[in-house]
Amino acid sequence: MAGAAISMSVGLAQAADATAPDQLIRQLSVEVLDAVKSDKAIQGGDVQKVIALVDAKIMPHVNFQRMTASAVGRFWRQATPEQRQRLQDEFKSLLVRTYAGALTQVKDQTIAMKPLRAAAEDTDVVVRTEVRGKGEPIQLDYRLEKTDQGWRIYDVNVLGIWLADQYRNSFAQEINAKGIDGLIKALAERNQKAAAAGSAPSAKP
């Protein structure tokens, strides 16, 4: 998951609305890489500063409700509105810290775009990219949906594994054992420990 965290972080950032989803991803990629490479504090491991960067620039381009619902799976329908909001908040905090920690590891990576296989009228697409640096390229794909506010990312695929799928099994195990509130409590405790330690939480689902 560490590779996934690095990859997703590299691929996301603040950008103006683009006319096509692949153009948006390209803008996001360039802007976040430039921001990290030009900030000595981030490169030095200032997690709080990176969290602020991630929260302000990356998250507005993510449909977190859909991403959380997908990760929680069939149990999402059983959750109350309050439980859904708490799940979304804790999952967001988990991912923000995970990606913030990964951003401090960005060095010389670049993004290579692959041809977009989508029709102009499509409202749900997959944008495929590669993260290139030292070592083998990392496959990085995005699922995006077109909304009234523009294109929004709702899942990420790293090396053939979609993010929501990666968390779904562990979330289901927690819910089966301790219920939805048990999963919320587990996520909250994980985030609290990470905050107290001043670091990103474990990236393991």
Side-chain angles (χ1 to χ4, degrees):
M1 184 64 190
I6 295 172
S7 301
M8 185 177 179
S9 300
V10 167
L12 304 174
Q14 184 180 30
D17 286 339
T19 57
D22 55 338
Q23 292 174 1
L24 175 62
I25 293 298
R26 183 188 297 275
Q27 284 183 269
L28 299 178
S29 302
V30 171
E31 290 191 12
V32 73
L33 283 173
D34 287 348
V36 173
K37 291 176 181 178
S38 64
D39 194 314
K40 297 298 183 183
I42 291 176
Q43 295 172 21
D46 187 337
V47 175
Q48 290 303 318
K49 187 167 185 179
V50 189
I51 288 174
L53 170 68
V54 172
D55 205 24
K57 294 192 173 185
I58 295 176
M59 293 307 151
H61 300 283
V62 179
N63 182 340
F64 245 98
Q65 179 173 325
R66 182 168 180 177
M67 183 178 286
T68 307
S70 182
V72 175
R74 59 187 175 86
F75 298 102
W76 184 257
R77 295 191 298 272
Q78 303 172 18
T80 65
E82 181 183 1
Q83 286 175 324
R84 290 182 178 185
Q85 186 60 54
R86 291 187 64 195
L87 282 168
Q88 185 175 324
D89 291 345
E90 295 298 343
F91 190 42
K92 177 180 178 180
S93 181
L94 170 68
L95 292 182
V96 166
R97 280 190 166 273
T98 298
Y99 300 136
L103 272 177
T104 63
Q105 302 175 43
V106 170
K107 302 298 181 185
D108 61 349
Q109 289 89 342
T110 60
I111 297 291
M113 306 296 298
K114 295 185 177 181
L116 178 64
R117 298 174 181 173
E121 66 272 15
D122 287 347
T123 58
D124 197 302
V125 303
V126 175
V127 174
R128 301 181 304 129
T129 75
E130 280 186 348
V131 179
R132 296 178 179 176
K134 294 181 179 178
E136 292 295 318
I138 298 173
Q139 173 192 343
L140 178 60
D141 303 334
Y142 300 89
R143 282 180 175 148
L144 297 95
E145 62 177 349
K146 193 172 186 178
T147 72
D148 292 340
Q149 291 76 42
W151 289 97
R152 293 293 181 269
I153 298 159
Y154 68 89
D155 208 351
V156 180
N157 180 336
V158 181
L159 299 175
I161 301 175
W162 289 101
L163 180 69
D165 293 342
Q166 193 167 29
Y167 278 99
R168 192 175 297 117
N169 288 337
S170 62
F171 283 6
Q173 290 174 3
E174 190 73 39
I175 292 173
N176 282 325
K178 300 179 182 179
I180 293 174
D181 284 337
L183 173 59
I184 294 171
K185 181 179 179 181
L187 290 173
E189 290 176 348
R190 187 170 169 182
N191 288 327
Q192 288 167 4
K193 288 179 180 178
S199 64
S202 167
K204 184 178 179 180

